[in-house]
Amino acid sequence: MHRYLHYIDGRDAAPESQAWFDTHNPFTGEPWAEIAQGTAADADLAVQAAHRAFTSGAWPQLTATQRGELLRRVGDLIAREARRLAEIEVRDNGKLAEMRGQLNYIPQWFYYFGGLADKIEGRVIPLDKKGYFNFTLHEPLGVVAAITPWNSPLLLTAWKIAPALAAGCTVVIKPSEFTSASTLEFARLFEEAGFPPGVVNVVTGFGRDVGSALVEHPLVRKITLTGADSTGRSINEAAARHFKHVSLELGGKSPNIVFADANLDDAVNGAVAGIFAATGQTCIAGSRLLLLQDSIHDVFVERLLTLARSARMGDPMSADTQVGPITTRPQYEKVLSYIDTARNEGARLLLGGSAGTLPECGGGWFVEPTIFGEVDNGMRIAQEEVFGPVLSIIRFKDEEDALRIANDVRFGLGSGVWTADIGRAFRVSERLQAGTVWVNAYRAVSFMSPFGGYKDSGLGRENGAQAIHESLQTKSVWINTGAASANPFVMR
Ligand code: NAD
């Protein structure tokens, strides 16, 4: 089996513990590589390297334009390696179509933020005081720790590190223990592009060991996490003790609302894409389908079931597969246990509900596309994130009722609205408590548009021009151009 080491200061580095853990292929359930099991000592080496690279050597000497050139060059290398990187990701997380699409798109993050690197401009402030010239500088925070999940490892790494590097920070990446390999391969491309050693580092291992050591490390100035809300809470508490900056992209329980005036074919497609694409393992999964009572409910559900039944489960490496395995064994068990919970709560099982046992499911961790009807929004299946191919259908009476149900949840990440009424589209978009609203669409994202959560779905925004400011701090510079000296004991 291939053995993956940490990547620190431009070199492979064996774990201080000399311990390794297996990474598994979810299609077969078999291990395929060994990953270095990091400790606080490894995290410290990586942070020290990142701090050295931030404070001395070539990186801080580069102009912003030169930093941008490096980012664009790494974008080209990612484009060159997209196919190979996608295949490594799929060996770990079982989502080929999703990973191929993502890898082809990831270079854009490096082109876009590379282009922004030399457009970070301060302001001259016309003060209310004579005799001073005042302006602002935006300076990089320092070492950024990027902690990522298993569902879209490299896409979410790109969201974090492209703006951080454009801002002039250095990074230590801690990938999910379930999907470390692709990040280690990815990091080498920065070396090939010409980034100085120590600007991009990767330490693998578990959250409780490496993740928390990064969060507690005094030289880390910012932590950016995509992960579960429970992880976000504990990181936020630890970061607060050290006054560190945080960006948290956490879970969701997103409503996908279909009004009776919608184009039903499009809405059926959108409902299926919202929950079954990527086997429901996305933070923005449209896991609560809200349907207008009676007028369209039965006909919509019938069409939805027909389309969902046609989903082909199978080998994630095959281009024909539409629904692949669940990435990790614990997640597979969690999804099945939520299906039991929903049954016990009285939701009506309309489709699926079992582990996938077809021969084309290999020996892997499959769950059938599952749909529950007659779900009450108070049930756990409607309130908690399942992170799997499980859809809850909830009836509503009118627009007001739809908004009440949609917002009656502690998360606020994505949301969908299907309607032909432009007035309703605006009204509902304004009142949905979610970081993203899609109207007659679902699951579109871009490097150019801000992404993040309301409520328990997180803090801060990734993507879009403003994202670069999450890696910067503002300095106000006052030049005395002839201010009259006054009483030194009184504030001027
Ligand atoms: P997770 O929270 O278990 O792990 C995420 C990362 O955090 C991993 O690298 C893990 O090792 C690390 N970690 C865990 N505990 C830690 C600790 N105490 N200190 C520091 N690091 C720690 O999440 P997961 O199971 O890998 O991913 C699924 C979750 O991610 C879901 O809740 C999903 O909604 C969320 N997610 C959110 C977005 C978004 O953009 N909002 C996108 C994808 C996934």
Side-chain angles (χ1 to χ4, degrees), residues 36 417 457 487:
V417 184
S457 290
N487 180 349

mmCIF file of all heavy atoms in Angstrom, residues 36 417 457 487:
data_model
loop_
_atom_site.group_PDB
_atom_site.id
_atom_site.type_symbol
_atom_site.label_atom_id
_atom_site.label_comp_id
_atom_site.label_asym_id
_atom_site.label_seq_id
_atom_site.Cartn_x
_atom_site.Cartn_y
_atom_site.Cartn_z
ATOM 1 N N ALA A 36 0.035 9.342 7.334
ATOM 2 C CA ALA A 36 0.781 9.694 8.550
ATOM 3 C C ALA A 36 -0.176 10.185 9.632
ATOM 4 O O ALA A 36 -1.018 11.049 9.375
ATOM 5 C CB ALA A 36 1.794 10.788 8.231
ATOM 6 N N VAL A 417 -36.231 28.219 -4.098
ATOM 7 C CA VAL A 417 -37.611 28.680 -4.286
ATOM 8 C C VAL A 417 -37.973 28.409 -5.736
ATOM 9 O O VAL A 417 -37.251 28.832 -6.643
ATOM 10 C CB VAL A 417 -37.731 30.199 -4.040
ATOM 11 C CG1 VAL A 417 -39.183 30.639 -4.146
ATOM 12 C CG2 VAL A 417 -37.145 30.586 -2.700
ATOM 13 N N SER A 457 -25.205 27.810 10.832
ATOM 14 C CA SER A 457 -24.460 27.329 9.658
ATOM 15 C C SER A 457 -23.100 28.011 9.498
ATOM 16 O O SER A 457 -22.357 27.670 8.583
ATOM 17 C CB SER A 457 -25.289 27.505 8.381
ATOM 18 O OG SER A 457 -26.366 26.595 8.393
ATOM 19 N N ASN A 487 -2.482 70.593 24.378
ATOM 20 C CA ASN A 487 -2.309 70.050 25.717
ATOM 21 C C ASN A 487 -2.070 68.533 25.639
ATOM 22 O O ASN A 487 -2.930 67.800 25.167
ATOM 23 C CB ASN A 487 -3.608 70.353 26.495
ATOM 24 C CG ASN A 487 -3.522 69.830 27.915
ATOM 25 O OD1 ASN A 487 -2.605 69.084 28.244
ATOM 26 N ND2 ASN A 487 -4.474 70.253 28.731
#
